[in-house]
């Protein structure tokens, strides 16, 4: 869980950096050129397949782990809920399930369209590029879509709040000296990254 989690954390950083180009006032050119590169460069395509596999492993492992934990606890649930355990750590499965639902809606709306949908094209200095920006822009003109994204990013923030620090601990990458730093970076990451993701649909809706 921890290894796949750390890779997915890295994916989020790269994905966010690319998506922030949606906020440029260039009619979507920078974003469309970025999306074209992401779907045609062989090295990036290979990394994408690794990413799909790791997402699946992360989900399957989570299901197996929670089934095992539930079996170990019996039908009584938690006998004592320690005050020190944040509720996010006890609800990673529920948060993850909602994030999975978000991911299905998200991939259906953008990724599927980019790969197999009949989307319009743009001509940039003689180079024909799929206009994925138009697809994203149309989606974020619907308040319902914007609301789904913003709520999902809030859930992602809670998932990362526990997940980031926990993955470092599980891998033994903790040390009394550096733990406060890891905690701070983990919590800052859990707030800043989902907040910037959420900013994109809000910005595009208001723009
Ligand atoms: C405002 C927020 C977001 C926007 C605008 C956005 C936009 C996009 C777009 C346009 C694509 C299709 C790109 C392509 O196929 O090349 C995509 C793919 C994807 N997105 Fe997002 N995304 C957002 C948030 C997220 C979040 C929070 C996650 C994970 C929790 C996520 C996971 C993915 C995955 C796994 C793919 C497939 C990547 C691949 O083909 O390698 N996205 N996203």
């Amino acid at each position: 869980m921890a290894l796949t989690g750390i890779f997915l954390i890295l994916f989020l950083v790269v994905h966010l950096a690319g998506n922030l180009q949606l906020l440029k006032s260039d009619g979507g050119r920078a974003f469309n050129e970025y999306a074209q590169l992401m779907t045609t460069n062989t090295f990036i395509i290979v990394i994408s397949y690794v990413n799909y596999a790791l997402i699946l492993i992360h989900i399957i492992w989570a299901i197996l782990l929670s089934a095992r934990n539930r079996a170990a606890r019996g039908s009584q649930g938690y006998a004592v809920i320690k005050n020190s355990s944040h509720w996010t750590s006890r609800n990673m499965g529920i948060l993850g399930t909602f994030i999975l639902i978000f991911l299905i809606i998200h991939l259906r709306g953008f990724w599927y369209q980019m790969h197999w949908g009949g989307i319009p094209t743009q001509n940039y200095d003689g180079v024909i590029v799929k206009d994925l920006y138009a697809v994203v822009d149309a989606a974020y003109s619907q308040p319902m879509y914007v609301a789904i994204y913003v709520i999902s990013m809030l859930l992602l923030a809670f998932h990362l709040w526990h997940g980031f620090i926990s993955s470092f601990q599980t891998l033994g990458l903790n040390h009394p000296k550096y733990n406060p730093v890891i905690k701070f970076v983990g919590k800052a990451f859990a707030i800043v990254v989902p907040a910037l993701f959420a900013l994109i649909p809000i910005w595009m809706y208001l723009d």
Side-chain angles (χ1 to χ4, degrees):
M1 289 265 35
L3 265 183
T4 53
I6 284 188
F7 184 92
L8 297 177
I9 283 169
L10 289 176
F11 162 75
L12 282 181
V13 175
V14 177
H15 197 42
L16 177 63
N19 289 341
L20 284 175
Q21 298 184 66
L22 285 160
L23 305 185
K24 279 190 180 169
S25 330
D26 62 353
R29 180 171 180 158
F31 177 74
N32 281 340
E33 287 176 340
Y34 154 79
Q36 185 80 3
L37 176 78
M38 297 304 272
T39 45
T40 50
N41 179 287
T42 312
F43 175 71
I44 296 172
I45 292 173
V46 172
I47 299 283
S48 291
Y49 281 109
V50 172
N51 191 31
Y52 304 147
L54 291 179
I55 291 174
L56 285 177
I57 293 170
H58 193 79
I59 295 167
I60 293 167
W61 211 254
I63 294 169
L64 293 176
L65 258 183
S66 39
R68 204 183 63 181
N69 289 348
R70 205 170 306 123
R73 277 200 305 272
S75 56
Q76 297 118 35
Y78 288 105
V80 178
I81 295 179
K82 283 190 205 151
N83 287 336
S84 60
S85 84
H86 196 264
W87 71 266
T88 51
S89 71
R90 297 188 303 274
N91 291 293
M92 289 299 273
I94 295 166
L95 290 166
T97 306
F98 280 111
I99 294 165
L100 176 61
I101 296 169
F102 157 77
L103 212 51
I104 293 168
I105 297 171
H106 178 52
L107 295 183
R108 171 72 190 85
F110 299 155
W111 174 81
Y112 178 83
Q113 291 304 320
M114 181 65 179
H115 290 263
W116 298 285
I119 67 175
T121 53
Q122 285 278 359
N123 184 334
Y124 298 131
D125 308 323
V127 181
I128 307 290
V129 166
K130 286 190 184 177
D131 194 1
L132 188 58
Y133 176 85
V135 177
V136 179
D137 198 34
Y140 295 155
S141 65
Q142 304 167 49
M144 191 60 189
Y145 224 87
V146 175
I148 290 174
Y149 268 73
V150 173
I151 294 167
S152 301
M153 291 311 102
L154 193 64
L155 300 174
L156 179 65
F158 284 123
H159 196 69
L160 289 170
W161 185 264
H162 174 73
F164 190 111
I165 298 163
S166 164
S167 47
F168 275 82
Q169 276 173 355
T170 307
L171 293 175
L173 299 173
N174 55 349
H175 183 280
K177 203 169 142 195
Y178 302 115
N179 281 353
V181 181
I182 296 175
K183 256 192 174 160
F184 176 79
V185 173
K187 290 185 174 179
F189 186 95
I191 295 170
V192 173
V193 170
L196 288 174
F197 268 121
L199 174 73
I200 299 171
I202 296 173
W203 183 290
M204 291 181 78
Y205 177 73
L206 298 175
D207 196 23

